[in-house]
């Protein structure tokens, strides 16, 4: 079981697989006022940076589930490196339908809401693991400005304009689900550059090391086209944030 190979190549050097920079992740951790010993569940935990740094900084106890074998292995190594391997566990597997054995104080899905079939479905899934008065974290894109055409939306990596909402609409959607938005940290364009531009050097190095790989042609094409695509579309049109929610 694994995710499509393209991500395991282009994001192999990422610690954070979203437009958050380390300072944003730290800001979010501080904003949540985490008590030591808080249990945190993270569906689509990637390379584990959120759980590992929060275990180090706030003494949380974490469980991450991720379908990428590479990212899950990197997460375990990161936990060792930060000296928190006794407090965080990383499970390699499909997080769809995953419910924690023990209720958690924070249930997160940061940049992987397809796991629950969209934002509302993922919130419903996370709620099954959440203790009363627990916090749900959703990391999700939104339109900074509405794409003028469907082609522009596709340039941003969306299937269509309707994939994402404008920020006021996204915030209103939480209201409609009877949730309080209690905290919010938003990425910015520099963060998008860290997420997207970091893939370019990774792809360049990968091509140097794997010139004869079946995948080389696709990576070559991406390395050529991605910088222009990023600055024309994603960087201008797409926002991203983590929203902290509590049931009313
Ligand atoms: N939350 C992490 C990773 C976000 S990227 C971070 O912010 O760094 C999306 C992640 O979802 C990837 O790590 C990918 O491997 C994982 N993923 C995709 N489909 C999944 C599934 N069905 N179950 C678990 N993880 C999944």
């Amino acid at each position: 079981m694994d995710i499509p190979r393209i991500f395991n190549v282009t994001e192999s050097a990422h610690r954070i697989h979203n437009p958050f920079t380390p300072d944003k992740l730290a800001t979010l951790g501080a904003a949540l006022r985490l008590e030591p010993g808080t249990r945190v569940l993270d569906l689509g935990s990637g390379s584990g940076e959120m759980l590992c740094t929060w275990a180090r900084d706030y003494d949380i106890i974490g469980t991450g589930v991720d379908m990428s074998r590479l990212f899950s292995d990197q997460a375990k190594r990161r936990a060792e490196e930060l000296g928190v391997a006794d407090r965080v566990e990383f499970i390699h597997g499909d997080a769809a339908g995953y419910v924690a054995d023990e209720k958690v104080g924070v249930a997160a899905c940061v940049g992987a809401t397809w796991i629950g079939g969209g934002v509302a479905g993922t919130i419903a899934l996370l709620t099954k693991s959440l203790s009363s008065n627990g916090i749900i974290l959703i990391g999700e894109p939104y339109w900074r400005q509405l794409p003028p055409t469907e082609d522009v939306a596709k340039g941003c990596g969306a299937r269509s304009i309707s994939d994402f909402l404008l920020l006021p609409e996204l915030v209103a959607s939480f209201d409609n689900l009877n949730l309080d938005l209690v905290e919010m940290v938003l990425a910015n364009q520099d963060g998008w550059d860290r997420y997207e531009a970091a893939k370019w050097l990774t792809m360049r190095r990968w091509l140097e090391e794997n010139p004869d790989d079946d995948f080389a042609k696709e990576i070559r094409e991406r390395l050529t086209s991605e910088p222009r695509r990023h600055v024309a579309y994603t960087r201008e049109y797409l926002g991203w944030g983590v929203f902290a929610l509590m049931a009313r």
Side-chain angles (χ1 to χ4, degrees), residues 164-185:
F164 305 125
L165 301 170
L166 289 162
L167 183 57
E169 294 169 351
L170 182 58
V171 168
S173 76
F174 299 134
D175 197 31
N176 293 338
L177 291 170
N178 214 21
L179 296 162
D180 285 325
L181 178 59
V182 296
E183 257 294 1
M184 170 180 97
V185 179

Side-chain angles (χ1 to χ4, degrees), residues 42-57:
D42 190 10
L43 301 187
S45 44
S47 298
E49 192 67 4
M50 185 174 88
L51 290 181
C52 290
T53 54
W54 290 0
R56 177 194 63 193
D57 299 340

Side-chain angles (χ1 to χ4, degrees), residues 16-227:
I16 302 174
H17 303 263
N18 70 52
F20 260 17
T21 46
D23 61 305
K24 294 277 183 184
L25 206 51
T27 298
L28 178 65
L32 297 177
R33 307 172 205 169
L34 298 162
E35 300 281 348
T38 301
R39 289 188 178 276
V40 181
L41 173 67
D42 190 10
L43 301 187
S45 44
S47 298
E49 192 67 4
M50 185 174 88
L51 290 181
C52 290
T53 54
W54 290 0
R56 177 194 63 193
D57 299 340
Y58 303 109
D59 227 1
I60 59 107
I61 295 167
T63 300
V65 184
D66 199 281
M67 209 153 86
S68 164
R69 162 132 353 242
L70 174 71
F71 300 167
S72 303
D73 289 347
Q74 289 180 165
K76 285 174 197 161
R77 281 203 294 278
R78 186 69 172 146
E80 301 275 347
E81 192 175 78
L82 296 187
V84 296
D86 58 333
R87 267 167 286 152
V88 293
E89 93 177 299
F90 291 100
I91 300 166
H92 173 238
D94 190 348
Y98 185 90
V99 178
D101 295 336
E102 209 172 324
K103 299 273 186 205
V104 301
V106 177
C109 182
V110 175
T113 51
W114 56 86
I115 285 173
V119 171
T122 298
I123 288 171
L125 173 61
L126 293 171
T127 301
K128 292 182 186 170
S129 297
L130 199 67
S131 58
S132 56
N133 294 321
I135 292 179
I136 291 171
L137 296 181
I138 291 288
E140 183 71 3
Y142 57 87
W143 296 121
R144 287 180 65 224
Q145 40 171 335
L146 204 62
T149 64
E150 288 292 342
D151 279 348
V152 171
K154 289 197 175 75
C156 297
R159 281 162 308 172
S160 99
I161 297 173
S162 62
D163 276 7
F164 305 125
L165 301 170
L166 289 162
L167 183 57
E169 294 169 351
L170 182 58
V171 168
S173 76
F174 299 134
D175 197 31
N176 293 338
L177 291 170
N178 214 21
L179 296 162
D180 285 325
L181 178 59
V182 296
E183 257 294 1
M184 170 180 97
V185 179
L186 302 182
N188 58 28
Q189 287 169 300
D190 293 339
W192 272 116
D193 295 342
R194 286 309 78 237
Y195 179 48
E196 294 293 339
K199 298 176 190 173
W200 309 338
L201 183 57
T202 302
M203 287 194 279
R204 174 65 205 225
R205 294 262 157 89
W206 186 92
L207 278 171
E208 285 161 13
E209 283 161 22
N210 302 277
D212 301 323
D213 195 288
D214 290 347
F215 220 40
K217 187 164 172 282
E218 182 174 343
I219 299 293
R220 176 65 259 172
E221 283 166 9
R222 281 198 184 233
L223 176 55
T224 305
S225 60
E226 275 293 288

